[in-house]
Amino acid sequence: MRDLLREVLEANRRIPVAGLATLTWGNVSGVDRGAGVYVIKPSGVPYHRLDEESLVTVEIETGRVVGGTLRPSVDSETHRLLYQAFPAIGGITHTHSTHAVAFAQAGRDIPVLGTTHADNFDGPIPCTRDLTPAECETDYERNTGLAILDALDGDCASVPAVLAAGHGPFTWGATATASLETAIVCEAVAEIAIHTLALNPAATPPEHLIRRHYRRKHGPGAYYGNAGPRRTSEEDPE
Amino acid sequence: MRDLLREVLEANRRIPVAGLATLTWGNVSGVDRGAGVYVIKPSGVPYHRLDEESLVTVEIETGRVVGGTLRPSVDSETHRLLYQAFPAIGGITHTHSTHAVAFAQAGRDIPVLGTTHADNFDGPIPCTRDLTPAECETDYERNTGLAILDALDGDCASVPAVLAAGHGPFTWGATATASLETAIVCEAVAEIAIHTLALNPAATPPEHLIRRHYRRKHGPGAYYGNAGPRRTSEEDPE
Amino acid sequence: MRDLLREVLEANRRIPVAGLATLTWGNVSGVDRGAGVYVIKPSGVPYHRLDEESLVTVEIETGRVVGGTLRPSVDSETHRLLYQAFPAIGGITHTHSTHAVAFAQAGRDIPVLGTTHADNFDGPIPCTRDLTPAECETDYERNTGLAILDALDGDCASVPAVLAAGHGPFTWGATATASLETAIVCEAVAEIAIHTLALNPAATPPEHLIRRHYRRKHGPGAYYGNAGPRRTSEEDPE
Amino acid sequence: MRDLLREVLEANRRIPVAGLATLTWGNVSGVDRGAGVYVIKPSGVPYHRLDEESLVTVEIETGRVVGGTLRPSVDSETHRLLYQAFPAIGGITHTHSTHAVAFAQAGRDIPVLGTTHADNFDGPIPCTRDLTPAECETDYERNTGLAILDALDGDCASVPAVLAAGHGPFTWGATATASLETAIVCEAVAEIAIHTLALNPAATPPEHLIRRHYRRKHGPGAYYGNAGPRRTSEEDPE
């Protein structure tokens, strides 16, 4: 549990360092499946004041705060729904990174435009549908999670990222660190995509190139990396 | 008063650190309502040479310099008019940040394109009308303030930022620090907006999503943050 | 002379720090009118290896190297011509800064789109005509200077910057430091201009606003700054 | 050999410092022609964990790993083919730098738009043809190299850079350091090109200006730099 607190703290601190958000924006959480809890950034605390004591521990089943003295991030219920829906998820990151948010605000998926994307995501990063007025009125954060589930259609593995329409990216992975690194990748491919579309609005890489790159790093025939059958937190394009 | 000097000094020093201006551009002021004065950056002094002694104290009522040996920022009269018009304002920041200035030069409001904006501003950040030749000729800085008042229409609370047409952003808040942080947010939403409009010139988030986000953080039902009923300097989107 | 070497060294070192160029690109020079010489960056030396000993001293009248053991910047003859043509110039900076070079490559003047520009330049930053094949063949660097003179039409004071077509910006001022700071401003206004034109291709601020801002800082009625009748190295918009 | 390891290590560490890639992306290699080997970054190791021990030594002739305990970069076979095809190449860099990748994803050459480009490259930086499905299926990395050879048409000297279509830039030079610095230049000219094309889609500098700049720095009449007849790792525009 001490390890989880340290990892979540460090992953949160990497958000501003990686240029993914400023002030108090963004949040990372990490899960302890054995204890049935996740640890998340508190609401409204700037990154330079974060410490392990300020982190908040929440029960996955009930949403009850079981550790820490502060209130959890307002987005906590979105995290919780994703942890409930996908047992394989060990960490979740939400940011307001510039270019990924631009796609979210434009209501557009981030398309697969090259190998940097395909090294990490097996398809476009989807943008959710808009929420209805009723979904915004009550249980908004939980409904944001439900719209994300709609966009994922039961599969959290092939594309570990989504854009909440009009809002911004959520990413996940086996650990809090992995989810943060996927947030870095998501912003990078969004920025490259914006420039690509400006240079060539019809850009579309051959499907066989895209397949090849994804399979270099993911699945049974993967040959990328140096840590046994598969590396988790370093599985980025080279 | 010593505390105010220190806060205004630190807020000014954050301008270049946050990438909002270079050289001597930009200025922050903070007010002491009890003493009827505000403290502001001196004119033409680069940030690395600023210290408490170089700051200038100005009487709100008269504009008379009552502390410090240097001349105040040339924009001081704009600050003074805003302090006179809105007793709730405790600090004001003016920057030449790249993307907010681009909107000001384009003569366009920064539209509400998503939740990053709505978390902070209850509507578009308005761009003022152009000043007339007569308004530019005499009392230019005071007339800049009057054009800002026209754009705000009596309400400084719902959108604590404005773009002086052809010039750049002014932001404010309960304290000098809060005004500086709003300047950071203003630049961030401007940059995201430029990319959003390039991806989708017709982007418009649902009004109910925007309402929801503003109300998560502002007003009686707000549930964002960790400091009692309402937090001031950390009220940024998460 | 020792002071001049130190100033030129420091101004050159600020080029990469200010993000105006990388590797060995760009160069700053400063003049000693009494001695009839200028000091300039050596050719092809990266910034982190620059020291006072590596700087090169050149005679304005003849172009002869009279100090230092290295060859001067290949652009030295362009600097020399400007020093000959304009006795008021005390320092010159040439960079390959991203957005100013984009205007130079596009063959477009940087237009006056707002007060950030008008605080520093009394008109557009002109882009020179293209050089002829003959001008490129012989005495290319001197001919670059002549094309700059054509663009300036005898006036180096109102707009202390120019874009060599297809190449990049040259800026100048009373000192090497002033020329470097004008290069920083030139890049900043170029970047803001690109975003402004994307938001509003027809953006044009009122002429009376532009006049007013230039006159706040320049000429007999100027009231900006804190150092006597006029400040040199800090005359930037606030 | 110790020197080569140190140089390759340092060049790899400059990739994230120069902003050319993040996490584990990108790789630099350097060659020892006498020993018939090259040294390359291991696969999937983040830059802050790289040390000389983690580097991998590969035989040029066979592709056999002859030094180090980790697997080489997945792109190693592309490096190897280039070393085999061009005996003059001493170092190779591959990055995922934002703007160069945007051109690669757009399937466009980086055109010669000005002197910053011409100072370094004697023509456009070509984008390769797309690979066929068969080329992606088997020996993908070697086939990437073959497509690069097609694009170069036997000449690795005049333009020491290429864009692998849909993927990203490969650059080379006499040393690992030179190849890394060419990667920096490639990204810089790509970024400037994107802004230039936005300002003027038809921008085309006069051919005689371009010729002149390339010849200032390359070939028998070159007069740039300070190290004898020709300098290698510092041959960048000034």
Side-chain angles (χ1 to χ4, degrees):
Chain A
M1 194 61 191
R2 181 102 332 232
D3 282 355
L4 180 62
L5 285 166
R6 183 158 3 97
E7 188 193 359
V8 170
L9 177 63
E10 284 178 15
N12 272 292
R13 283 181 174 160
R14 284 178 69 182
I15 286 182
V17 172
L20 301 181
T22 182
L23 300 171
T24 68
W25 309 0
N27 43 70
V28 183
S29 68
V31 87
D32 180 335
R33 290 281 174 187
V37 298
Y38 61 97
V39 172
I40 191 166
K41 183 172 174 292
S43 183
V45 176
Y47 290 103
H48 63 279
R49 292 203 206 134
L50 274 191
D51 53 23
E52 292 187 15
E53 284 65 45
S54 59
L55 295 177
V56 186
T57 304
V58 181
E59 213 169 47
I60 297 176
E61 186 67 21
T62 61
R64 204 160 48 91
V65 171
V66 295
T69 59
L70 300 177
R71 281 194 287 179
S73 160
V74 282
D75 297 314
S76 183
E77 283 295 289
T78 309
H79 290 238
R80 191 163 75 88
L81 188 73
L82 290 172
Y83 285 128
Q84 290 181 313
F86 298 113
I89 293 182
I92 296 171
T93 296
H94 168 54
T95 79
H96 283 249
S97 69
T98 303
H99 300 87
V101 170
F103 271 97
Q105 292 191 162
R108 290 176 64 166
D109 298 350
I110 305 178
V112 186
L113 294 174
T115 66
T116 312
H117 189 117
D119 282 323
N120 294 277
F121 305 108
D122 193 14
I125 297 173
C127 185
T128 69
R129 63 172 173 77
D130 284 333
L131 268 62
T132 65
E135 288 172 325
C136 281
E137 191 57 40
T138 312
D139 293 329
Y140 164 67
E141 289 78 15
R142 184 171 178 82
N143 290 327
T144 297
L146 290 171
I148 291 175
L149 296 192
D150 287 353
L152 298 182
D153 203 16
D155 172 16
C156 75
S158 52
V159 178
V162 75
L163 304 175
H167 187 170
F170 286 81
T171 58
W172 50 86
T175 62
T177 305
S179 73
L180 185 275
E181 296 192 347
T182 299
I184 293 174
V185 175
C186 177
E187 174 61 10
V189 300
E191 181 174 9
I192 298 173
I194 286 177
H195 293 302
T196 303
L197 294 170
L199 286 170
N200 181 0
T204 37
E207 181 61 21
H208 48 272
L209 175 69
I210 294 311
R211 295 279 84 218
R212 178 63 184 195
H213 265 263
Y214 188 74
R215 289 186 339 231
R216 289 212 299 186
K217 300 188 63 182
H218 304 269
Y223 52 100
Y224 177 91
N226 266 295
R230 187 154 165 185
R231 308 163 67 83
T232 308
S233 79
E234 299 166 18
E235 230 150 36
D236 309 293
E238 189 174 337
Chain B
M1 193 64 192
R2 181 102 331 232
D3 282 355
L4 179 61
L5 285 166
R6 183 158 3 98
E7 187 192 0
V8 170
L9 177 63
E10 283 178 15
N12 272 292
R13 284 182 174 158
R14 284 178 69 182
I15 286 182
V17 172
L20 302 182
T22 182
L23 299 171
T24 68
W25 309 0
N27 42 71
V28 183
S29 69
V31 86
D32 181 335
R33 291 281 174 187
V37 299
Y38 60 96
V39 173
I40 191 167
K41 183 172 174 290
S43 182
V45 176
Y47 290 103
H48 62 279
R49 292 203 206 132
L50 274 192
D51 53 23
E52 292 188 16
E53 284 66 43
S54 59
L55 296 177
V56 186
T57 304
V58 181
E59 214 168 47
I60 297 176
E61 185 67 22
T62 61
R64 205 159 48 90
V65 172
V66 294
T69 60
L70 300 177
R71 282 193 285 179
S73 160
V74 283
D75 298 313
S76 183
E77 283 295 288
T78 309
H79 290 237
R80 191 163 75 87
L81 189 73
L82 291 171
Y83 285 128
Q84 290 181 312
F86 298 113
I89 293 182
I92 297 171
T93 295
H94 168 56
T95 79
H96 283 250
S97 69
T98 303
H99 301 87
V101 170
F103 271 97
Q105 293 191 162
R108 290 177 64 165
D109 299 350
I110 305 178
V112 186
L113 294 174
T115 66
T116 312
H117 189 117
D119 281 323
N120 294 276
F121 305 108
D122 192 15
I125 297 173
C127 184
T128 69
R129 62 171 174 80
D130 286 332
L131 268 63
T132 65
E135 287 171 327
C136 281
E137 190 58 40
T138 312
D139 293 330
Y140 164 66
E141 289 77 14
R142 183 171 179 82
N143 291 327
T144 296
L146 291 172
I148 291 174
L149 296 192
D150 286 353
L152 297 182
D153 203 17
D155 171 16
C156 76
S158 52
V159 179
V162 75
L163 304 175
H167 188 170
F170 286 81
T171 58
W172 49 86
T175 62
T177 304
S179 73
L180 184 274
E181 297 192 345
T182 299
I184 293 174
V185 175
C186 177
E187 174 61 10
V189 299
E191 181 173 8
I192 298 173
I194 286 177
H195 293 302
T196 303
L197 293 171
L199 286 170
N200 181 359
T204 36
E207 180 62 20
H208 49 271
L209 175 69
I210 295 310
R211 294 280 83 218
R212 179 62 183 196
H213 265 263
Y214 188 73
R215 288 186 338 230
R216 288 212 298 186
K217 300 188 63 182
H218 304 270
Y223 52 98
Y224 176 90
N226 267 295
R230 186 154 165 185
R231 307 164 67 84
T232 307
S233 78
E234 298 166 18
E235 229 149 35
D236 310 293
E238 189 175 336
Chain C
M1 193 63 193
R2 182 98 334 229
D3 282 355
L4 180 61
L5 285 166
R6 183 157 4 97
E7 188 193 359
V8 170
L9 176 63
E10 283 178 15
N12 273 293
R13 284 181 174 159
R14 284 179 68 183
I15 286 183
V17 173
L20 302 181
T22 181
L23 300 171
T24 68
W25 309 0
N27 41 71
V28 183
S29 69
V31 86
D32 181 335
R33 291 281 175 188
V37 299
Y38 62 95
V39 172
I40 191 167
K41 183 172 175 290
S43 183
V45 175
Y47 290 103
H48 62 279
R49 292 204 206 132
L50 273 192
D51 52 24
E52 290 187 17
E53 284 64 45
S54 59
L55 296 177
V56 186
T57 304
V58 181
E59 214 168 47
I60 298 176
E61 185 67 21
T62 62
R64 204 158 49 89
V65 171
V66 295
T69 59
L70 300 177
R71 281 194 285 179
S73 159
V74 284
D75 297 313
S76 183
E77 283 296 289
T78 308
H79 289 237
R80 192 163 75 87
L81 189 73
L82 291 172
Y83 284 129
Q84 290 181 312
F86 298 113
I89 294 180
I92 297 171
T93 296
H94 168 55
T95 79
H96 283 250
S97 69
T98 303
H99 301 87
V101 170
F103 272 98
Q105 293 191 161
R108 290 177 65 166
D109 300 349
I110 304 177
V112 186
L113 294 173
T115 66
T116 312
H117 189 118
D119 282 324
N120 293 277
F121 306 109
D122 192 14
I125 297 174
C127 185
T128 68
R129 61 171 174 80
D130 285 332
L131 268 62
T132 65
E135 288 172 327
C136 281
E137 190 58 39
T138 313
D139 293 331
Y140 164 67
E141 288 79 14
R142 184 172 179 80
N143 290 328
T144 298
L146 291 172
I148 291 174
L149 296 192
D150 287 353
L152 298 182
D153 203 17
D155 171 17
C156 75
S158 52
V159 179
V162 75
L163 305 175
H167 187 168
F170 287 81
T171 57
W172 50 86
T175 62
T177 304
S179 72
L180 183 276
E181 296 192 346
T182 299
I184 292 173
V185 175
C186 178
E187 174 62 9
V189 299
E191 181 174 8
I192 298 172
I194 286 176
H195 293 302
T196 303
L197 293 170
L199 286 170
N200 181 0
T204 36
E207 181 61 21
H208 48 272
L209 175 69
I210 296 310
R211 295 280 83 217
R212 178 62 184 197
H213 265 263
Y214 189 73
R215 288 186 340 231
R216 288 213 299 187
K217 298 188 63 182
H218 304 270
Y223 53 98
Y224 176 91
N226 266 295
R230 187 155 163 184
R231 307 165 66 87
T232 308
S233 78
E234 299 166 17
E235 231 149 34
D236 310 293
E238 189 174 338
Chain D
M1 194 63 192
R2 182 98 337 229
D3 282 356
L4 180 61
L5 285 166
R6 184 158 3 98
E7 188 193 358
V8 170
L9 177 63
E10 283 178 16
N12 272 292
R13 284 182 175 159
R14 284 178 68 184
I15 286 182
V17 172
L20 302 182
T22 181
L23 300 171
T24 68
W25 309 1
N27 42 71
V28 183
S29 68
V31 87
D32 181 334
R33 291 282 174 187
V37 299
Y38 61 95
V39 173
I40 192 166
K41 183 173 174 290
S43 184
V45 176
Y47 290 104
H48 63 278
R49 292 203 206 133
L50 274 191
D51 53 24
E52 292 188 15
E53 284 64 46
S54 59
L55 295 177
V56 186
T57 304
V58 181
E59 213 168 47
I60 297 176
E61 186 66 21
T62 61
R64 204 159 48 91
V65 171
V66 295
T69 58
L70 299 178
R71 281 193 286 179
S73 159
V74 282
D75 297 313
S76 182
E77 283 295 287
T78 309
H79 289 237
R80 191 163 75 87
L81 188 74
L82 290 172
Y83 284 129
Q84 289 182 311
F86 297 114
I89 294 181
I92 297 171
T93 295
H94 168 55
T95 78
H96 282 249
S97 69
T98 304
H99 301 87
V101 170
F103 271 98
Q105 293 192 162
R108 290 177 65 166
D109 300 349
I110 304 178
V112 186
L113 294 174
T115 67
T116 312
H117 189 119
D119 282 323
N120 294 277
F121 305 109
D122 193 14
I125 297 173
C127 185
T128 68
R129 61 173 175 78
D130 285 332
L131 268 62
T132 65
E135 287 171 327
C136 281
E137 190 58 39
T138 313
D139 292 330
Y140 164 67
E141 288 79 13
R142 183 172 179 82
N143 291 328
T144 297
L146 291 172
I148 290 174
L149 296 192
D150 286 354
L152 297 181
D153 203 17
D155 172 16
C156 75
S158 52
V159 178
V162 75
L163 304 175
H167 187 169
F170 286 81
T171 58
W172 50 86
T175 62
T177 305
S179 73
L180 183 276
E181 296 192 347
T182 299
I184 293 174
V185 175
C186 177
E187 173 61 9
V189 300
E191 181 174 9
I192 298 173
I194 286 176
H195 293 303
T196 303
L197 293 171
L199 286 170
N200 181 359
T204 36
E207 181 61 21
H208 48 271
L209 174 69
I210 295 311
R211 295 279 84 217
R212 179 62 184 196
H213 265 262
Y214 189 73
R215 288 186 341 232
R216 288 212 299 187
K217 300 188 64 182
H218 305 270
Y223 52 98
Y224 177 90
N226 266 296
R230 187 154 164 184
R231 307 165 66 85
T232 308
S233 78
E234 299 166 17
E235 230 149 36
D236 310 294
E238 188 174 339

